[in-house]
């Protein structure tokens, strides 16, 4: 994948397209593109290329790319893998800037294929040709009717153009999704099967699409990307632009991940890190077509709610209850209506209506659209309300049309999102639906889906608000610090690991290393009792498992005995381990937390935080953040754990030193980021948080080459 | 709601229907039923009843119910609430056994309405009339074309009959769901809007429907039911019969619950208890229409998988990855295929196919349905496999028809479920879809939905298997024991609460109560140090918050001081509290767990279990079971917590006394069940679990009148 996105306009909307490997046999991949381009309304020139034919699909066929007339902006490559590099060289010679390579037999096909792909990349760079694929099934520009592909996905000339762009690491699946979404009324403008991404990749295309004025949402079906930082930058840009990236991330389970690796040799970092990246940027994670449809339709209104407060109005109490539940699940609130709103709608609502939020107008108002719409106008104007969800039954025929015009007027008089829980079988021929679509009023197929749509709008809006409120990260508290690290991949002993933390200002329990031969001569403890006594060895990372830890040691006699036993246990546990000596440390009290860092292959240094062993290990209550963190991001990480109320004055306990804890997260993140070239892993476990401060009671730093 | 279900055959399929309050004005509720019955194909007799008319909807109109010819099995009641009781009395006099009461103005409409509803119940019982409603919108029997209702839901004569029965506490919403599900190809046979359920209720109808041979699944849209034990019995029956109850439970969030209470005055116990009941019985919880559709279609095949192992075969690697992820989420496994299977499909699969599970045949096999179906036959025959998911692209036209016939033959040769991930726009006119439907091969609209369907089949099958493996609960370990309880609603002190637990054989730390005036004279501790010293008072349940607990007291001096301080603190905290004295208890060690019980208004005595304070309070890692529990159910509860690995040898620790813990759960459940008339709540917190046994270290029993 290239570092910088180019200008893909000519790739997506070419003036002429060559089809290398064109054929008249529709069973062959090369036999399809010229015909598909013709059948689906491509308006540019099509140039079949094949020395064996003079005509393909009724078009003049050229012996090679150099013979193709200009302008020709794209070459579709549908030849045997072995000759693909030559075709790309020919593109360069013929001045064709882009190629879409269908041919398989590259990285996905073992070692020989990987070598061929490497060669392809070199050749393309030399030839100045950018390409999609290999091993892709093509691209589609629905706006300009450019179907550059093969297979069943391209056999549907009736797809409607819309405002959603789609880049997919699974071609076959993407076009199935496009068909289903189209059936639910969501159209795409650009669809790209990215294939092996040997040149232009998912991130290049996402970055390009998000900037386009004709794109309102980008969908990415993703097994993995190679550059986590760039993914995060795109997420940030999505928030700035107010356009979501709907990301359908797969390959997350162990078996799914193995399958993803086997079929595209794709790059899959830990799903937890993707989720962290999605959570910070303008991503909406989806896992089925209906979520794609609903999110795309909701964002199509180009309105973001200012807060999480929703008013719900229905003509059936049951669906009001359902929407209230679903809103709760999606992080929305149904506040009390303002007194003025209640007074106003009291005048309009029928007997037995419930004027609490959710408002239940009962079936009595069915057919009385004027009354319903006047009530909606009051609800959406309520200062306590940020979004309005309307479920109204009387949407058929002429009355439905009048209702839709009325609700369009209500929506037109506000900038708050107004969402319709449709709940009938959708019929694009119905006037009321057409009116809603024309006015970009999102309608969703069920109450549950409507609450989902309101929820994703809110999530996106809250993250956007947060980003805009503080566009720049806070300055780092101190300059990078020098560490004295041994060379090579290795683990540091606790004492050495503590030194790294100390260099970055992470407070730890007082500790002193005593050499093995100094134990017998100890006259008093170098730190106050009670003590933790532990082996210090770069070869024994799991000290407890080695039987090489004693806690709560209370006097000199116990200390000496503990030290001797620990040394013996360590020698027994791992004969030949290098033993620096025995580490004597003060005992700490407080809430136990864990702060860790790993240097991820795709995302770079990442910080992990969690409270308590059980919560982390069995309940997976941990949060992740990308290094370096600033203080606000550190506080976000702390708040992101469900157990965090333990820190802030739990059940009458005094509040703990959360500021000092945030400092530790920031400082560990700087340690990990400044020394990312050497540090593979940091583990501060446990870190004790008390009312007055924090103290690391153990530490492990793992180095890489 | 009545205790026993009757025979509802004549209610659902009446020979004649009277419409009381019939009118020629379609804007009136009474103006609709006769016309709807005629328009939608009712084949029995329709008898409008209204003294004001001689003819309604072209039918002879009768002055009163006594004038109606026999047989007339149902009276629709659409008159003013005030005259409904009289109409019911007339039903009795006319020998009409069932009524469906549309009229509103009963329990949902305040005190006067509630009184009217109470009167209605008495009148109906005296008259021998069973009824649906009041405040309902009707019933539908699609098989026999009996549309007994009003409103938009009954305006659709094209609904197809199917094999799903639906009972709903929201009428308006139910018929919207029926329309949407019908659009996705799922038909219903019976649909009932239960209204206020003053007589025949949700549970009566569920119990009736589940037994009917023509019903394959029951859907319940439910805000709450009044009889948790009966709900559980229906769940058990559903498992026995192998038919699911798809339950759409709403009113679960705080705001949703409040809304549910306001609009139908429905009965809503804690959602956690519903979930516990759903988890033990044959319920599938759904929260949208597509889940209803998918589960109904999956169960329509009448096959249950013998285990959780799924084979997945696709023609697109991406959808294989997606299905693998979704299967993982739904508790399914994708095991290795048997060696013989791999050998067999190797002969058939194209180059570049991936023969691990998920099997990716690649797009090369598109169109080659014979090969795909032969591979499917091998996969479904694999002894490692319990279900097969097929996603195959080439399903259009004549080839699609041939494929569908072939896969039907594959499915016909096995009793394992075979599910099709359809992934195209569904078209009921397509031959391939008709073939699948005819052979009851479930097709699901997306890969995600297919994995969901396979998941619900598996969940149901595993629960069924479990029930059938042990049809009878184990015998209780001892007879009920007498307790000496004070009268009235009150809290017991810790010492008194411990006595209740002791009577039921729950081990506790040794403890001795010392009267306030005996403290100064204490010569030595009655139990060994270290000690917990606590106030003992029926008026101070939260001893820590009162400052009336000292832990780790290590000698007589500390003990006396602690006792004096505690008494002072208790007096300060709550002047006038009755102080029995100071409880002196040994300290216990081990993993802290909580065992509780509440006597729920709807579900009766329920036991709660969780590990550790944080896991329970912040992470809500608790499980529920219905009292009395047997040992196996107690072990299920323990295993249902995510933190339970802490008990069974966590990180090299010795395994803890899980059997003794299960005993405590059983014994507490017996205490709660035997004394359900008096005990409102039991709280054993903490209970320490060590390697050798369990010890309750605190206890609270709350009594009711």
């Amino acid at each position: 994948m290239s570092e910088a996105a180019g200008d893909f306009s000519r790739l997506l909307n070419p003036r002429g397209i060559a089809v290398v490997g064109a054929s008249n046999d529709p069973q062959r991949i090369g036999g399809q593109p010229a015909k598909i381009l013709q059948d689906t309304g491509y308006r540019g020139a099509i140039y079949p290329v094949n020395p064996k034919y003079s005509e393909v699909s009724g078009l003049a066929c050229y012996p090679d790319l150099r013979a193709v007339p200009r302008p020709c902006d794209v070459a579709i490559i549908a030849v045997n893998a072995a000759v693909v590099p030559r075709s790309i060289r020919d593109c360069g010679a013929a001045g064709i800037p882009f190629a879409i390579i269908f041919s398989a037999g590259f990285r996905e096909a073992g070692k020989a294929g990987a070598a061929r792909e490497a060669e392809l990349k070199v050749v393309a760079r030399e030839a100045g040709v950018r390409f999609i694929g290999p091993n892709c099934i093509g691209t589609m520009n629905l706006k300009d009717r450019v179907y550059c592909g093969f297979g069943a996905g391209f056999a549907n000339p009736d797809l409607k153009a819309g405002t959603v762009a789609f880049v997919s690491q699974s071609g076959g699946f993407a076009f199935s999704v496009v068909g289903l979404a189209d059936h639910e009324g969501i159209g795409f403008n650009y669809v790209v099967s990215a294939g092996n991404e040997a040149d232009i990749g998912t991130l290049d295309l996402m970055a390009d699409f998000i900037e386009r004025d004709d794109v309102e949402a980008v969908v990415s079906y993703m097994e993995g990307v190679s550059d986590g930082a760039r993914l995060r930058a795109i997420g940030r840009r999505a928030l700035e632009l107010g356009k979501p990236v709907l990301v359908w991330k797969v390959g997350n389970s162990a078996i799914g991940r193995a399958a993803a690796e086997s079929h595209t040799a794709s790059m899959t970092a830990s799903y937890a890190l993707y989720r962290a990246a999605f959570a910070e940027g303008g991503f909406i994670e989806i896992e089925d077509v209906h979520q794609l449809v609903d999110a795309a339709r909701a964002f199509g209104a180009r309105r973001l709610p200012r807060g999480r407060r929703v008013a719900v109005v229905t003509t059936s109490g049951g669906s009001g209850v359902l929407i209230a539940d679903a809103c709760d699940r999606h992080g929305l609130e149904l506040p009390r209506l303002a007194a003025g709103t209640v007074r106003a709608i009291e005048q309009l609502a029928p007997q037995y209506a419930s004027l609490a939020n959710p408002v239940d107008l009962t079936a009595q108002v069915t057919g009385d659209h004027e009354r319903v719409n006047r009530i909606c106008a009051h609800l959406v104007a309520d200062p306590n309300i940020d979004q309005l969800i309307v479920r109204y039954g009387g949407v058929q025929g002429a009355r439905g049309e009048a209702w839709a015009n009325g609700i369009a007027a209500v929506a037109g008089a506000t900038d708050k999102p107004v969402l319709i829980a449709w709940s009938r079988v959708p019929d694009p021929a119905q006037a009321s639906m057409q009116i809603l679509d024309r006015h970009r009023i999102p309608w969703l197929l069920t109450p549950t889906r409507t609450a989902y749509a309101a929820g994703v709008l809110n999530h996106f809006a809250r993250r956007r608000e947060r980003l805009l409120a503080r566009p720049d990260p806070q300055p780092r508290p101190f300059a990078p610090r020098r560490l004295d690290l041994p060379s090579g991949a290795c683990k540091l002993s606790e004492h050495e690991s503590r030194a790294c933390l100390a260099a970055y200002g992470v407070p730890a329990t007082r500790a002193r290393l005593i050499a093995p031969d100094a134990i017998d001569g100890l006259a008093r403890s170098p730190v106050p009792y009670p003590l933790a006594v532990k082996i210090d060895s770069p070869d024994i990372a799991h000290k407890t498992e080695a039987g090489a830890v004693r806690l709560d040691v209370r006097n000199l006699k116990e200390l000496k005995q503990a030290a001797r036993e620990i040394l013996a246990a360590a020698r027994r546990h791992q004969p030949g381990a290098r033993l620096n000596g025995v580490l004597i440390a003060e005992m700490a009290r407080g809430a136990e937390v864990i702060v860790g860092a790993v240097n991820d292959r795709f995302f770079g240094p990442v910080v992990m935080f969690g409270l308590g062993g059980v919560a982390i290990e069995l309940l997976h209550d941990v949060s992740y953040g990308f290094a370096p963190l600033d203080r606000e991001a550190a506080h976000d990480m702390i708040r992101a754990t469900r157990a965090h109320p333990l820190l802030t004055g739990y059940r009458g306990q005094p509040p703990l030193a959360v500021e000092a804890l945030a400092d530790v997260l920031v400082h560990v993140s700087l340690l990990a980021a400044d020394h990312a070239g050497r540090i593979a892993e940091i583990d501060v476990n446990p870190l004790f948080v008390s009312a007055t401060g924090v103290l690391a009671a153990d530490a492990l730093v793992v180095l890489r080459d």
Side-chain angles (χ1 to χ4, degrees), chain A residues 356-368:
Chain A
N357 189 9
V359 175
D360 173 14
L361 298 178
T362 79
Q364 293 171 78
V365 297
T366 305
D368 191 353

Side-chain angles (χ1 to χ4, degrees), chain A residues 6 28 81 170 196 217 238 249 261 312 324 348 579 593 595 640:
Chain A
R28 301 179 66 94
S170 171
N196 287 8
K249 172 75 179 73
E261 279 163 5
V312 176
L348 296 161
L579 306 182
V593 307
V595 177

Side-chain angles (χ1 to χ4, degrees), chain A residues 58-382:
Chain A
L59 298 164
C61 186
Y62 298 81
D64 62 49
L65 277 169
R66 287 165 221 236
V68 163
R70 303 202 174 188
C72 176
D73 296 316
V74 165
I76 289 172
I77 311 289
V79 296
N80 189 288
V83 295
V84 168
R86 202 176 63 206
S87 299
I88 294 299
R89 217 173 268 126
D90 289 350
C91 285
I96 300 174
F98 294 106
I100 301 170
I101 307 176
F102 296 169
S103 320
F106 290 86
R107 181 163 51 95
E108 82 287 358
K111 263 193 181 169
R116 196 175 290 136
E117 187 162 312
E119 182 202 350
L120 171 63
K121 286 161 87 160
V122 172
V123 166
R125 200 169 303 127
E126 286 171 1
V129 176
R130 303 294 312 265
F131 64 93
I132 303 278
N135 190 29
C136 78
I137 69 170
T139 66
M140 204 181 253
N141 170 349
L142 283 148
K143 205 177 143 200
D144 303 300
R145 313 305 299 170
V146 189
Y147 280 46
C148 281
F150 69 97
F154 292 84
N156 186 352
D158 300 328
L159 290 172
K160 292 169 289 296
T163 56
V164 180
F166 192 170
V167 51
S168 177
Q169 292 181 339
S170 171
F173 187 62
F175 290 97
S176 152
V177 170
V178 166
L180 290 171
D182 180 83
H183 184 60
E184 287 214 42
I186 292 299
F188 295 81
N189 34 22
Y190 310 108
V191 186
V192 177
S193 153
N196 287 8
E197 311 188 53
D199 177 31
I200 299 169
T202 291
L203 293 171
D204 300 311
L205 292 161
M206 281 167 74
D208 179 89
F209 289 149
I210 199 89
E211 300 290 345
R212 289 179 179 257
D213 289 338
D214 59 347
V215 169
E216 287 176 7
V218 175
V219 176
S220 166
Y221 183 87
M222 180 192 291
E223 289 169 359
V225 294
S226 59
D227 184 345
R230 190 153 173 234
L231 181 71
R232 293 176 59 213
I234 292 171
R236 188 185 166 92
R237 188 67 185 137
L239 287 181
E240 284 167 358
L241 293 166
K243 297 179 190 180
V245 176
L246 311 180
V247 60
W248 192 336
K249 172 75 179 73
V250 298
N252 307 322
S253 64
I255 191 89
R257 198 163 163 175
E261 279 163 5
S262 81
H263 97 103
T264 56
S266 198
M267 308 124 297
T268 52
S270 149
Y271 181 44
L273 301 189
Y274 281 100
R275 297 207 82 174
F278 298 156
E280 95 184 335
F283 298 96
I284 309 284
E285 215 182 336
I286 58 173
E287 53 187 39
D288 209 347
V289 178
H290 60 88
Q291 293 179 332
L292 188 166
V293 165
D294 296 344
R297 190 168 275 128
F299 280 97
R302 299 188 191 160
R303 294 179 180 197
L304 293 176
R306 272 186 292 272
R308 57 183 73 252
R309 303 164 310 168
V310 177
V312 176
V313 57
T314 72
T315 53
S316 121
S319 58
V321 174
L322 166 58
I323 295 172
D325 277 1
C327 282
D328 181 72
R329 269 201 309 278
H330 293 298
L332 300 168
E333 291 163 9
L334 271 66
R336 271 172 190 281
L337 302 174
T341 309
V342 174
R343 274 195 303 276
I345 65 176
E346 254 169 8
Q347 310 299 316
L348 296 161
Q351 196 195 2
Y352 300 139
S354 167
L355 304 186
N357 189 9
V359 175
D360 173 14
L361 298 178
T362 79
Q364 293 171 78
V365 297
T366 305
D368 191 353
H369 56 83
E370 280 179 34
R371 195 145 61 127
V372 172
N373 286 340
R374 283 171 65 196
I375 290 169
C376 286
H378 286 295
L379 290 171
V380 80
D382 188 309

Side-chain angles (χ1 to χ4, degrees), chain A residues 590-605:
Chain A
E592 281 187 46
V593 307
I594 297 180
V595 177
V598 290
N599 197 339
D600 183 75
R601 190 151 69 105
F602 303 109
F603 282 94

Side-chain angles (χ1 to χ4, degrees), chain A residues 326-646:
Chain A
C327 282
D328 181 72
R329 269 201 309 278
H330 293 298
L332 300 168
E333 291 163 9
L334 271 66
R336 271 172 190 281
L337 302 174
T341 309
V342 174
R343 274 195 303 276
I345 65 176
E346 254 169 8
Q347 310 299 316
L348 296 161
Q351 196 195 2
Y352 300 139
S354 167
L355 304 186
N357 189 9
V359 175
D360 173 14
L361 298 178
T362 79
Q364 293 171 78
V365 297
T366 305
D368 191 353
H369 56 83
E370 280 179 34
R371 195 145 61 127
V372 172
N373 286 340
R374 283 171 65 196
I375 290 169
C376 286
H378 286 295
L379 290 171
V380 80
D382 188 309
N384 293 352
I385 292 303
D386 305 304
Q387 295 195 69
L388 175 64
I389 291 178
V390 181
R391 185 174 184 277
Y392 171 59
V395 297
Q396 281 180 307
R399 273 196 205 158
E401 195 175 335
W403 162 76
N405 280 316
I407 196 73
V410 169
T414 174
D415 60 356
K416 299 176 185 176
V418 175
L419 288 81
I420 309 298
W422 184 258
S423 303
R424 301 184 69 86
V425 173
D427 175 5
Q430 217 168 81
S432 51
M433 298 203 87
Q434 292 171 353
I435 292 163
L436 296 180
D437 281 341
R438 198 161 58 240
H439 289 91
R440 294 175 162 271
I441 298 174
W443 54 269
L444 294 306
L445 202 51
T446 68
T448 311
R449 291 172 65 172
T450 313
Y452 168 80
V456 296
L457 286 181
N458 175 61
H459 282 296
F460 186 93
R462 300 289 70 73
R463 273 179 281 160
R464 179 165 198 263
E465 188 175 69
R466 219 178 148 288
L467 176 79
L468 299 183
R470 54 157 205 143
D472 300 314
Q474 294 143 4
R476 54 179 292 154
F478 49 75
R481 287 171 184 178
R482 227 191 129 277
L483 298 178
D484 186 22
L485 299 173
S487 61
C490 63
K491 286 175 179 151
L492 300 186
S493 78
E494 178 177 339
H495 191 62
E496 295 156 349
S497 301
R498 282 170 171 257
C500 295
L501 292 175
Y504 274 77
V506 176
T509 53
R510 274 177 291 176
R512 199 68 68 80
L513 180 65
I514 309 294
D517 57 9
I519 290 165
D520 289 340
L522 265 184
R524 57 186 192 85
S525 168
V527 293
Y529 296 105
L531 301 174
V533 184
K534 309 180 256 188
I535 197 69
D536 193 74
S537 164
D539 299 326
I540 302 179
H542 299 290
K543 299 184 280 277
T544 304
E545 281 80 341
V549 177
R550 296 291 181 282
L551 298 179
D552 216 17
V553 169
R554 290 182 173 259
N555 55 49
L556 187 62
K557 190 181 151 206
E558 284 181 22
L559 168 57
K560 287 188 176 180
Q561 191 187 340
R564 284 185 210 109
E565 285 174 8
I566 281 168
L567 281 166
R571 288 189 183 114
R572 223 170 23 246
H573 179 76
Q574 193 171 327
R578 290 165 293 170
L579 306 182
N580 299 335
V582 169
L583 197 69
I584 298 176
E586 71 179 320
M587 299 282 289
R589 285 193 156 218
E592 281 187 46
V593 307
I594 297 180
V595 177
V598 290
N599 197 339
D600 183 75
R601 190 151 69 105
F602 303 109
F603 282 94
V606 180
V607 179
M608 190 275 279
F609 169 74
L611 283 100
V614 180
I616 290 176
E617 291 175 39
L618 294 174
L619 309 179
H620 310 298
D621 182 28
V622 295
S623 61
Y624 295 89
F626 299 99
L629 299 166
D630 66 9
R631 285 182 64 82
E632 199 164 335
H635 279 294
D636 284 347
M637 278 183 70
I638 295 168
R639 276 191 298 264
T641 59
R642 284 173 295 156
H644 86 273
L646 280 181

